[in-house]
Amino acid sequence: MITDFSSIAYDAFYRGSNVIFWWKGKSNHLGRYNVNDLMLREEFIFGDIVYNRFELANILERCYNSKQRGEFSKVYRGIVRFSDGRNTERLIEFLERDGWLY
């Protein structure tokens, strides 16, 4: 999975994919948004970071057939609270509890 920091990265990692963060345009994103509200900081990254196509080629070759690295799993578990496969059930429970579903 290659992304700038899309939320799809969480699903990809949860399902066992390696995630590569393409940050060539990171400074542009930081200039448009309140930096404190973004998770575009290295302490929140659960994959390799690349800034150019040469780095991307090297990382792709290394990541393609390898398992997720332990340090990335640790970061991911520090961000994502649930990993029990019950996300849809939990969402429905919350929606019912908050009166969105009847």
Side-chain angles (χ1 to χ4, degrees):
M1 166 70 181
I2 302 170
T3 182
D4 56 352
F5 198 87
S6 170
S7 60
I8 194 70
Y10 291 93
D11 184 59
F13 195 86
Y14 177 76
R15 294 173 187 267
S17 295
N18 285 310
V19 178
I20 300 171
F21 293 92
W22 173 259
W23 278 10
K24 181 178 180 182
K26 178 184 173 189
S27 60
N28 292 336
H29 291 296
L30 295 177
R32 282 188 231 145
Y33 304 103
N34 180 350
V35 175
N36 295 323
D37 293 338
L38 295 178
M39 293 184 73
L40 289 170
R41 297 190 300 266
E42 290 189 22
E43 64 264 25
F44 297 120
I45 298 306
F46 45 91
D48 290 293
I49 301 169
V50 297
Y51 294 95
N52 60 59
R53 63 187 178 116
F54 303 107
E55 291 175 331
L56 179 61
N58 291 330
I59 295 296
L60 272 174
E61 186 175 329
R62 185 175 52 112
C63 288
Y64 185 69
N65 285 317
S66 63
K67 294 182 179 183
Q68 294 172 334
R69 296 193 344 230
E71 67 265 27
F72 296 148
S73 294
K74 184 178 179 181
V75 171
Y76 179 84
R77 286 191 309 270
I79 297 169
V80 177
R81 185 171 164 195
F82 300 108
S83 61
D84 58 7
R86 292 191 56 245
N87 289 347
T88 301
E89 293 172 40
R90 195 173 3 269
L91 177 61
I92 291 169
E93 289 170 9
F94 292 154
L95 290 170
E96 286 175 341
R97 181 197 68 200
D98 293 343
W100 288 90
L101 297 177
Y102 300 100

